Amino acid sequence: MDVGISLALAFAFGIALTLNAAITGAVSRARGGREASLLTPISALSVIAVLLAWIAYDEGSTTLPVPFEALAVTLVLIPLAWLLLWLVVRGLPLWYGCAGFLNGLGLVFVPRFVEDLGLALYFSALTLGSCSGALLFDHFGLLGFARRKASFARAGGLALAGVGVVLVRAA
Amino acid sequence: MTAATQSGPRQGRDLLPMAASLLSGLLTALPLAMLAAVGRERGGEEATFLHLVTLVAGLAAVSAVFALRGTRPAFLRPLNSGWSMVALAAAFGVVAAICVSGIEWYYLSTGIISVAIFLLVTWSLVRLSLGLYFASSTLGSVSGSLVMDQMGAFGAIERDISLIRVAGALLVAAGVVVVRTAK
């Protein structure tokens, strides 16, 4: 994959981290930190189960060991993963279940990002994305965030992080 | 009492949580480097599956320990008991053990390290100001990733640490602190 595309995707997944943090924070306030921490990986797993079934259907099998390489098993994993996700979010707004969807997709791309960008540049771009997301969510008061206008100081901090990413990339 | 003598113990109290936060950041690069290595062998989806399965097993085990010590999980039935968390941890642990066959056993630790990171973050976050927390954790994660790049950890392409890269990483960390703490 092109380095520019990888950088843009890492930045976008960084923004998605803000959405994840918002939902995790809401679940943490409603239920507690340990309960909230289980939501993201189970939510991500629901998406990965679908992707694995798609791979097994498309390519004949996954590269996982027996029995998880078989299409039949991956098809069984989908309802199990979604049932578990439902059990975890039951009693909360059901859309909280999407907390880890984008994180799961982001993790799928990690091997590609590490190959194209290296860990340092990947982390830097991801961090820049999450800072941008935080600024956006705060400024517009999205998803119940307390509205907090983007100040020059905070925009300056974002610019500083942006220059940092450019330096890590340039080197 | 002068401000200087007041700030001494405060700074001393902050040292351990700051070290924990720095360590959590340093560790962050490790599971991702492992995930990338598994991904090169098996594919991104399969690597992510292994990572998530071990992570859920570890987090459920932590919840089970807390539940068996008296703090029940705040889920609705049937996940509201310690034994449900034990069952969850065991089921995911078995799946993880199956999935790691054919690759190095230590790749099982991707999720376990993430559990350790979670515990370090939750412990340090309530003991530090937001500025110190973001400064130490971001500094840890960018430093850890620079070192991993230098080593070419787990078969990744080696990328030398240069002064410019270090300066860039420091700027990223500084930017995070400003964005998260400035008025």
Side-chain angles (χ1 to χ4, degrees):
Chain A
M1 203 179 344
D2 182 56
V3 171
I5 296 173
S6 287
L7 261 179
L9 277 175
F11 177 81
F13 284 122
I15 294 178
L17 283 180
T18 313
L19 175 69
N20 173 257
I23 298 175
T24 306
V27 176
S28 185
R29 284 188 293 278
R31 294 249 165 106
R34 282 188 301 281
E35 289 77 1
S37 70
L38 263 171
L39 173 63
T40 299
I42 288 173
S43 166
L45 208 52
S46 311
V47 174
I48 299 302
V50 175
L51 289 178
L52 284 175
W54 175 257
I55 289 171
Y57 171 75
D58 195 43
E59 297 174 14
S61 70
T62 71
T63 58
L64 288 169
V66 178
F68 296 105
E69 93 295 3
L71 174 62
V73 176
T74 57
L75 286 174
V76 172
L77 284 180
I78 296 174
L80 286 178
W82 285 83
L83 173 68
L84 185 59
L85 178 61
W86 177 72
L87 288 173
V88 166
V89 292
R90 206 154 64 100
L92 296 167
L94 279 184
W95 70 271
Y96 281 5
C98 73
F101 288 179
L102 288 172
N103 298 57
L105 289 178
L107 286 174
V108 167
F109 281 98
V110 164
R112 178 53 55 194
F113 290 151
V114 173
E115 184 103 0
D116 286 347
L117 311 174
L119 271 169
L121 185 56
Y122 164 59
F123 263 114
S124 302
L126 195 74
T127 307
L128 183 66
S130 73
C131 282
S132 311
L135 217 60
L136 270 175
F137 274 62
D138 280 354
H139 185 74
F140 295 107
L142 301 174
L143 291 177
F145 270 67
R147 204 164 172 178
R148 198 172 150 212
K149 289 231 166 203
S151 63
F152 276 115
R154 298 183 80 204
L158 193 64
L160 208 61
V163 172
V165 172
V166 171
L167 284 181
V168 175
R169 166 82 184 104
Chain B
M1 197 185 286
T2 64
T5 52
Q6 275 177 335
S7 66
R10 174 72 210 155
Q11 283 168 1
R13 275 205 306 275
D14 284 342
L15 276 181
L16 198 57
M18 269 181 75
S21 173
L22 191 74
L23 181 63
S24 75
L26 279 168
L27 286 175
T28 306
L30 200 53
L32 290 177
M34 287 186 184
L35 196 153
V38 178
R40 280 192 296 277
E41 273 188 50
R42 287 196 169 162
E45 290 83 356
E46 288 84 349
T48 305
F49 182 72
L50 174 65
H51 173 72
L52 293 172
V53 164
T54 53
L55 180 56
V56 172
L59 289 170
V62 170
S63 284
V65 169
F66 275 89
L68 298 176
R69 290 172 63 188
T71 316
R72 286 161 67 99
F75 295 115
L76 299 183
R77 286 178 68 187
L79 294 181
N80 61 344
S81 71
W83 292 111
S84 65
M85 289 295 125
V86 171
L88 202 61
F92 276 82
V94 169
V95 174
I98 293 171
C99 286
V100 85
S101 66
I103 53 174
E104 300 292 342
W105 63 269
Y106 53 74
Y107 287 131
L108 267 181
S109 63
T110 59
I112 307 304
I113 294 168
S114 300
V115 175
I117 293 169
F118 163 75
L119 294 173
L120 285 168
V121 167
T122 47
W123 185 78
S124 56
L125 193 54
V126 292
R127 289 169 174 83
L128 284 176
S129 69
L130 214 53
L132 279 180
Y133 168 74
F134 280 119
S136 46
S137 64
T138 313
L139 203 61
S141 60
V142 291
S143 318
S145 56
L146 279 172
V147 172
M148 291 277 177
D149 274 350
Q150 164 81 22
M151 291 162 49
F154 303 103
I157 300 167
E158 288 180 29
R159 290 172 170 88
D160 287 339
I161 295 181
S162 65
L163 269 179
I164 298 177
R165 273 168 76 83
V166 173
L170 288 175
L171 278 181
V172 171
V176 171
V177 176
V178 175
V179 169
R180 301 286 184 169
T181 58
K183 297 264 187 243

